[in-house]
Amino acid sequence: VDVMYHLENYHLPLASGIKYHREAESFHGGLGFEKQWGPLGVDFHPAFQLTHANRQGLQATYFTLWNHFRSKLDLGNHFNLSVKQKSKMMIAEKDNQLSEIEKNIVRPRLQYHSGGIMLEGGAALCSGLFKPEGKASWHYKNLYVSAGREFHIYFEPEHMAEYEKNVSSLMYLNIAYISKSIKVILDIFKIDEDIGSRPGVIGDVEIDVSWLRLSQKAGIYNIDSDDGGPLDMFSHLSLLFSPNIWGWRSARFQPFIGAESIFLQHSGSVGIDPRAIPVFQNLDFGSQPYSSHLINMEFGFLVNRFKVSYRWMQFNILGDAVQNSHETKPIIPIRYLEVVWQFWN
């Protein structure tokens, strides 16, 4: 059983001089149940969320119910049969008016697995729709290759208490090499919606050794597509260097230095407006792409479950303003001392 209470009081200064204000108070709860009877396994996870939101004086209350159900039957001879069900219902109230939207997806699947090979076929059934789905994967030592097709339904807000149900399909190819200290992943994908197709590629490289942790993630979206999203490209580089060698190996404290670089190439066709619903808005014709580059630095010491460091957020060595929307003000540099106590390993 899980419960959570969330309170949010959000103030965002905008480039126009207006300070955007949003408040939200929500209660969350969930239940998890898992049981195995011989070759048959069952698990389900119902959950709810009750939220009251206030956006610049516009108020609405939302009640949302989820349920995830899965049953799996081992047929023997490397075969198993599974059924997955996901449902979501949202009721919104604004100005004494109620609106309701729901979705329910059932996924029957047959799976074959032998050694490092897995083949899976099935379909997604929803409101009279029949969408074939499938997945094939191959695993050998540190190498992993998979390809598949998935069907998704999501709710997109149109107004304060009104949502639209949209459908999309995802086709992907994943290639990975994963070892103890090195991870390399390449994801090639294509998203199909009513408004068009959006192909893209994402790469992820991680090196994790005793004295160095390096992570580089990058992605390219909207390849040869006029119906793209807000981003054309992103790059996230994270570096942590801590000399756990030589005399530092047995020392009581260990110095470290960290750096982070976040680069975003905005498409110029879709932008972020925190005042609007939805926040992603089509920009005026002729809007130009722009980029933002955020650099953070940190250095300090690791001392027996404590981390003491000095941090620069928005280390402005390039001299350029960093903002992710034309509606918001640039991110200003912040410097502060941070002490972290790790009391649970």
Side-chain angles (χ1 to χ4, degrees), residues 69 80-86 104-111 119-135 148-153 168-169:
F69 172 83
N80 65 69
L81 181 65
S82 67
V83 176
K84 297 181 180 180
Q85 182 263 348
K86 289 186 177 181
N104 184 34
I105 304 177
V106 179
R107 289 185 165 94
R109 294 182 178 180
L110 179 64
Q111 184 183 98
L119 302 174
E120 183 179 86
L125 311 176
C126 177
S127 303
L129 296 177
F130 179 88
K131 297 292 185 178
E133 293 184 321
K135 180 180 179 181
R149 183 180 188 271
E150 299 175 356
F151 173 75
H152 297 275
I153 297 179
S168 66
S169 63

Side-chain angles (χ1 to χ4, degrees), residues 55-66:
R55 299 168 60 105
Q56 287 290 88
L58 298 176
Q59 300 185 37
T61 301
Y62 310 90
F63 181 67
T64 309
L65 292 172
W66 292 271

Side-chain angles (χ1 to χ4, degrees), residues 11-256:
H11 297 263
L12 179 65
L14 302 178
S16 61
I18 301 174
K19 183 175 291 186
Y20 175 71
H21 181 210
R22 183 182 71 202
E23 295 180 0
E25 183 179 21
S26 59
F27 301 87
H28 309 251
L31 172 67
F33 174 83
E34 297 182 10
K35 184 66 176 179
Q36 187 75 31
W37 296 280
L40 176 64
V42 174
D43 64 80
F44 64 89
H45 303 273
F48 80 92
Q49 176 179 332
L50 178 62
T51 302
H52 179 75
N54 184 342
R55 299 168 60 105
Q56 287 290 88
L58 298 176
Q59 300 185 37
T61 301
Y62 310 90
F63 181 67
T64 309
L65 292 172
W66 292 271
N67 185 55
H68 292 184
F69 172 83
R70 182 182 68 92
S71 64
K72 183 177 180 181
L73 178 63
D74 188 357
L75 302 176
N77 297 322
H78 308 287
F79 285 92
N80 65 69
L81 181 65
S82 67
V83 176
K84 297 181 180 180
Q85 182 263 348
K86 289 186 177 181
S87 63
K88 180 180 180 180
M89 181 181 69
M90 177 184 291
I91 301 174
E93 183 275 330
K94 181 179 181 296
D95 298 331
N96 296 322
Q97 299 293 322
L98 293 177
S99 62
E100 180 179 334
I101 187 172
E102 62 179 345
K103 68 175 182 178
N104 184 34
I105 304 177
V106 179
R107 289 185 165 94
R109 294 182 178 180
L110 179 64
Q111 184 183 98
Y112 169 82
H113 55 90
S114 177
I117 298 177
M118 191 277 291
L119 302 174
E120 183 179 86
L125 311 176
C126 177
S127 303
L129 296 177
F130 179 88
K131 297 292 185 178
E133 293 184 321
K135 180 180 179 181
S137 66
W138 172 73
H139 177 220
Y140 177 73
K141 293 184 178 179
N142 297 327
L143 294 176
Y144 179 85
V145 179
S146 68
R149 183 180 188 271
E150 299 175 356
F151 173 75
H152 297 275
I153 297 179
Y154 63 94
F155 297 162
E156 182 173 0
E158 290 187 319
H159 300 288
M160 187 70 177
E162 296 181 13
Y163 287 79
E164 181 183 13
K165 187 188 304 182
N166 294 329
V167 299
S168 66
S169 63
L170 170 66
M171 292 184 291
Y172 62 88
L173 171 65
N174 299 337
I175 304 173
Y177 174 86
I178 301 176
S179 65
K180 184 177 180 180
S181 58
I182 298 177
K183 180 176 75 172
V184 181
I185 300 177
L186 178 66
D187 295 337
I188 303 172
F189 62 90
K190 179 184 177 185
I191 301 174
D192 292 318
E193 296 180 300
D194 292 338
I195 60 175
S197 298
R198 298 201 300 268
V201 58
I202 297 177
D204 184 0
V205 178
E206 292 187 12
I207 300 176
D208 190 356
V209 293
S210 62
W211 52 276
L212 175 68
R213 183 179 300 168
L214 174 66
S215 173
Q216 169 69 67
K217 298 180 181 180
I220 302 176
Y221 304 97
N222 309 329
I223 301 176
D224 295 330
S225 174
D226 296 328
D227 304 305
L231 288 182
D232 282 341
M233 183 176 65
F234 84 92
S235 174
H236 180 205
L237 173 66
S238 177
L239 170 67
L240 177 65
F241 173 74
S242 182
N244 189 24
I245 53 178
W246 308 314
W248 301 112
R249 186 183 299 273
S250 58
R252 295 185 60 187
F253 64 92
Q254 184 177 333
F256 75 92

Side-chain angles (χ1 to χ4, degrees), residues 268-287:
S269 58
V270 178
I272 300 175
D273 186 350
R275 303 167 301 175
I277 301 176
V279 295
F280 296 110
Q281 295 286 316
N282 293 324
L283 300 179
D284 296 334
F285 181 77
S287 297

